[in-house]
Amino acid sequence: SQPKYYVWPTKWKNISSGIAVRSFYRLGLSKNNPGYIIAGSHDNGTAYRDNNGNWYSIFGGDGMEGLIHPDDPKNIIGSWQYGNFVKSYDGGITRNYIGFYQYDQWDKGEWTTPMVRDPNNSNTLYAALGNVWESTDGGFAWYQISNFSTVNGFGYPDPSSALAIASSNPTHLYVAK
């Protein structure tokens, strides 16, 4: 064991000059409004960037997936681990919980639970927990659209790690476990 007042031989020098450093898990862009970004970061919540280049910390904890509405850049969705999603209509100043708390007894999300927006209908969202879920009202009501087998002894399917909409046919979803 180390002596009580052991001094490590490594000497560190701060060379960041005030730079804020974050490790991002995922980020979302605004299709029709360049400059807007939402990004989830490890241990540092969710960051939101407006088109003036200003960054704001908007949701705490571990920030994960983030989506920006293609026509309204203040209409955003952020998340934290295991499929907990929040929605804001004012760039993160206020928020509404739109997660899967009502389902989490029998379906679990991955650490970075994926969510995508339908490219043809901005109110339709898909989220991949153990099963794939669809919302047609922007995230407030969710309907299970897959039926993956449960894992023996756990009672719910393996969580999904990736989700994508086929660009050739938006009615086809791809999910990875």
Side-chain angles (χ1 to χ4, degrees), residues 77-154:
I77 296 173
S79 66
W80 63 94
Q81 60 267 36
Y82 306 117
N84 292 288
F85 292 96
V86 292
K87 183 171 189 160
S88 176
Y89 294 100
D90 55 15
I93 296 168
T94 61
R95 65 200 72 158
N96 297 293
Y97 183 77
I98 61 169
F100 292 88
Y101 59 90
Q102 66 267 41
Y103 312 112
D104 67 8
Q105 295 302 311
W106 51 277
D107 204 358
K108 304 288 184 186
E110 182 64 80
W111 179 256
T112 51
T113 300
M115 177 186 281
V116 295
R117 184 183 308 275
D118 185 313
N120 297 316
N121 183 342
S122 58
N123 281 325
T124 300
L125 304 169
Y126 299 98
L129 283 79
N131 279 295
V132 178
W133 295 79
E134 177 183 46
S135 173
T136 57
D137 65 359
F140 291 100
W142 291 93
Y143 306 94
Q144 183 179 330
I145 62 170
S146 70
N147 192 21
F148 293 116
S149 299
T150 61
V151 176
N152 287 340
F154 288 96

Side-chain angles (χ1 to χ4, degrees), residues 9-18:
T10 304
K11 301 293 182 198
W12 294 96
K13 180 180 178 186
N14 184 347
I15 60 171
S16 68
S17 300

Side-chain angles (χ1 to χ4, degrees), residues 26-72:
R26 303 229 174 115
L27 63 89
L29 306 173
S30 177
K31 179 180 179 181
N32 300 327
N33 297 282
Y36 288 90
I37 300 171
I38 186 170
S41 61
H42 178 74
D43 288 339
N44 288 295
T46 300
Y48 176 72
R49 182 186 185 269
D50 65 21
N51 66 340
N52 294 319
N54 300 310
W55 285 93
Y56 304 94
S57 290
I58 55 172
F59 308 132
D62 281 300
M64 300 292 170
E65 188 71 75
L67 300 176
I68 300 177
H69 191 281
D71 298 319
D72 179 2

